[in-house]
Amino acid sequence: YVFNSQTGKKVGEYVNRGQGPGEYYSISSLGRWKDGMYLYDVNKRKMAEIAFKDSVRIIPRMSFGRELHPTFVPLNDDTFIASGFYPEGRFCLIKDSGKQKEYIMEYPSRDEAEKEVTNFAKSQAYSGGIVAHPSGTLFMAHVNNADMLSFYSYENGNVRLIKEMLNSFPDYKYDKENQRYLGVSRHNPDAYLWGCGTDEYIYLLYSGKNYADDGEKTFVSSQIEVYNWEGEKVKTLMLDIPIQGMVVSEDDSTMYAIALNPEPQIVAFDL
């Protein structure tokens, strides 16, 4: 759906929902790309461009077979950074329309024992999101199940860690004999639910709640942590209603969010 940010009215619907040719069903990543937008369907393992010039067109761009990339974000020079359930590496650098792929960086470890956990299991325990700078030269990763933030630069095809904050680690079970991830504890606090970025700042929706005590309220929050791209915390924003996702205008003046009231609705906050 496309809405007018000034009037709040729906402009149109531009992507057909379904499993057939030219249809998309489970969009896990959606954002600006080139002169339009992009989407990634985690179920169909396909990425497409949404072009708005003259008329709205959905142009298939990449297909990944069985490979899964739940988080899929553009950098510069037509490169994408993705995170998913990989046998090696924390991220996947995707170039040349998906023909070139490189698995890079490592997940943090709580101790020596956790270093023996398979990468595939850790990719589930440490799953989260990626926020890229509009220039595509910086990005950061946040974790759902731990208060953990990592800031990176991307230049000349190379990724470099700038700063990392490991304030907590996920409490999860691992079957060492069968090398299987068995899930996170119900008492494990959720950390970062959502993230977005502008030229100046990164905005992170922080939960701090756990499912055992708070149930479904764990997955919404009214607390926004604001960082700059050097990894320094700037401020905390407290909204008057809980939300489950947001974006911020280019000039950092307005936040648009999805709130449950009780049905999903788009709301705006002056910053």
Side-chain angles (χ1 to χ4, degrees), residues 75-77 79 81 91 93 95 102 104-105 136-139 151-162:
L75 299 177
N76 62 11
D77 65 23
T79 297
I81 185 77
F91 307 113
L93 272 180
K95 304 178 182 180
E102 179 185 2
I104 61 170
M105 313 307 284
T137 60
L138 299 165
F139 71 94
F151 298 81
Y152 301 89
S153 65
Y154 176 71
E155 187 176 3
N156 299 322
N158 298 310
V159 173
R160 180 177 63 87
L161 179 65
I162 299 173

Side-chain angles (χ1 to χ4, degrees), residues 110 124-125 144-146 169-174 181-190 209-213 218-219:
R110 181 195 303 269
Q124 296 171 79
N144 295 138
N145 297 322
F169 288 82
D171 179 11
Y172 65 98
K173 292 183 178 181
Y174 176 65
Y181 170 74
L182 300 179
V184 70
S185 167
R186 287 164 50 88
H187 295 276
N188 183 86
D190 262 34
K209 300 184 284 289
N210 68 79
Y211 194 80
D213 296 328
T218 304
F219 310 121

Side-chain angles (χ1 to χ4, degrees), residues 73-171:
V73 177
L75 299 177
N76 62 11
D77 65 23
D78 282 341
T79 297
F80 282 76
I81 185 77
S83 64
F85 309 129
Y86 310 139
E88 61 177 313
R90 183 175 183 180
F91 307 113
C92 181
L93 272 180
I94 302 170
K95 304 178 182 180
D96 192 18
S97 299
K99 296 175 184 177
Q100 295 184 44
K101 287 175 284 187
E102 179 185 2
Y103 298 93
I104 61 170
M105 313 307 284
E106 295 182 352
Y107 288 100
S109 292
R110 181 195 303 269
D111 49 31
E112 290 299 317
E114 195 180 20
K115 291 182 180 180
E116 302 301 317
V117 175
T118 65
N119 198 81
F120 186 75
K122 291 183 77 172
S123 69
Q124 296 171 79
Y126 287 79
S127 63
I130 299 173
V131 180
H133 189 272
S135 68
T137 60
L138 299 165
F139 71 94
M140 64 84 60
H142 56 88
V143 177
N144 295 138
N145 297 322
D147 186 355
M148 188 174 292
L149 301 175
S150 306
F151 298 81
Y152 301 89
S153 65
Y154 176 71
E155 187 176 3
N156 299 322
N158 298 310
V159 173
R160 180 177 63 87
L161 179 65
I162 299 173
K163 185 177 181 179
E164 191 164 52
M165 290 172 282
L166 309 178
N167 297 320
S168 70
F169 288 82
D171 179 11

